[in-house]
């Protein structure tokens, strides 16, 4: 019988390694379905919480934030595009792309969890930002993403325009930071094990199988039968 695991996926929709890691995790869960069953809860993390509404050019932002050259920034994007292609995701970022504030996206994701649409919305937001180049701080962009995964247009707009779930998102961000999460993606299993970074499916699968074996009743010396 598959061992059920609780998976918290701490990430930002403006983080390229987060979608690479998510694709790897999804593939690993499919491969390890004989041993592992899990639901993924997406937890908020803002790479750039002070980013203004108009955003910032990606090259300007990355070179300043990480102290790298324009050439290094372009090389990093090329490497990320290749990794994305390897997991079936398209990155269309260029020198003209922009980094945007993602707080409202996290509020919408918090709401989407209540109806079981969170993972689908997360993927839609990654596509909107990295593939389509959309401004994911704009209400209309976020509402369109919500509609695309079956969520109600007016309900989504109401969440965004009223500021609902702002406190819940801030509280969740502080909680994970207090637990030592300072970089994403961070994959936390059963609130005990941490897998960091955009790992390939093989690495996730090995870790998941090892964890499932460790937490199984048989591993703890408890009989699984009556």
């Amino acid at each position: 019988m598959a061992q059920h695991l609780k998976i918290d996926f701490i990430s930002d929709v403006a983080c390229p390694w987060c979608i690479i890691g998510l694709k790897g995790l999804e593939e690993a869960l499919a491969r390890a379905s004989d041993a592992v069953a899990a639901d993924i809860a997406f937890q908020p993390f803002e790479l750039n919480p002070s980013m203004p509404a108009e955003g910032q050019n990606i090259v300007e932002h990355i070179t300043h934030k990480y102290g790298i050259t324009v050439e290094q920034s372009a090389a990093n994007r090329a490497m990320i595009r290749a990794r994305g292609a390897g997991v079936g995701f398209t990155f269309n970022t260029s020198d003209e792309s922009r980094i945007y504030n993602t707080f409202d996206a996290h509020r919408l994701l918090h709401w989407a969890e209540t109806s079981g649409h969170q993972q689908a919305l997360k993927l839609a937001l990654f596509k909107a930002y990295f593939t389509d180049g959309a401004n994911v701080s704009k209400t209309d962009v976020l509402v369109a993403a919500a509609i695309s995964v079956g969520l109600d247009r007016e309900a989504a707009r109401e969440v965004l325009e009223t500021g609902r779930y702002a406190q819940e998102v801030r509280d969740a961000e502080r909680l994970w930071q207090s637990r030592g999460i300072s970089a994403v993606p961070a994959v936390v299993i059963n609130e005990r094990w941490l897998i960091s970074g955009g790992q390939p499916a093989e690495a996730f699968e090995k870790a998941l199988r090892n964890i499932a074996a460790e937490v199984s009743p048989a591993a703890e010396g408890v009989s699984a039968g009556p």
Side-chain angles (χ1 to χ4, degrees):
M1 179 181 294
Q3 180 69 42
H4 189 272
L5 300 177
K6 178 179 183 288
I7 299 181
D8 288 296
F9 191 93
I10 303 99
S11 61
D12 193 358
V13 298
C15 161
W17 290 107
C18 293
I19 178 58
I20 290 170
L22 177 57
K23 287 290 189 177
L25 178 60
E26 289 179 331
E27 175 65 21
L29 286 169
R31 293 183 186 183
S33 60
D34 61 301
V36 176
D39 296 317
I40 305 174
F42 292 91
Q43 305 294 347
F45 187 99
E46 292 176 86
L47 288 170
N48 304 288
S50 61
M51 184 63 66
E54 68 273 14
Q56 183 181 18
N57 174 269
I58 190 170
V59 177
E60 176 186 328
H61 177 80
I62 295 297
T63 54
H64 174 75
K65 184 174 182 177
Y66 298 105
I68 63 175
T69 66
V70 172
E71 292 75 18
Q72 288 171 320
S73 175
N76 286 344
R77 289 201 308 277
M79 182 262 292
I80 287 169
R81 280 196 297 273
R83 282 290 304 273
V87 296
F89 185 83
T90 301
F91 286 96
N92 285 327
T93 49
S94 70
D95 287 350
E96 304 307 314
S97 297
R98 299 185 71 78
I99 306 284
Y100 295 108
N101 189 290
T102 58
F103 183 66
D104 285 349
H106 287 300
R107 289 198 297 113
L108 199 65
L109 284 162
H110 184 94
W111 168 65
E113 184 179 20
T114 64
S115 62
H117 289 78
Q118 193 183 43
Q119 187 161 348
L121 180 60
K122 187 78 168 184
L123 291 167
L125 291 172
F126 278 131
K127 179 181 180 296
Y129 178 61
F130 287 114
T131 305
D132 302 335
N135 181 346
V136 291
S137 69
K138 285 192 171 183
T139 295
D140 287 349
V141 170
L142 296 173
V143 170
I147 294 169
S148 75
V149 300
L151 289 161
D152 181 75
R153 178 195 304 268
E154 295 309 316
R157 187 172 293 277
E158 190 269 341
V159 167
L160 294 166
E161 291 181 347
T162 61
R164 283 174 60 195
Y165 304 118
Q167 189 60 52
E168 288 85 345
V169 170
R170 294 295 187 211
D171 288 346
E173 288 177 330
R174 284 192 287 268
L175 172 65
W176 290 104
Q177 289 167 7
S178 74
R179 294 180 176 180
I181 303 301
S182 60
V184 290
V187 182
V188 178
I189 314 295
N190 283 13
E191 300 185 354
R192 178 179 173 186
W193 291 273
L194 170 65
I195 307 171
S196 298
Q199 301 293 337
E202 294 78 10
F204 277 123
E205 181 183 2
K206 180 179 180 181
L208 289 170
R209 287 185 181 278
N210 287 342
I211 292 169
E214 187 168 342
V215 301
S216 70
E220 296 174 0
V222 179
S223 173

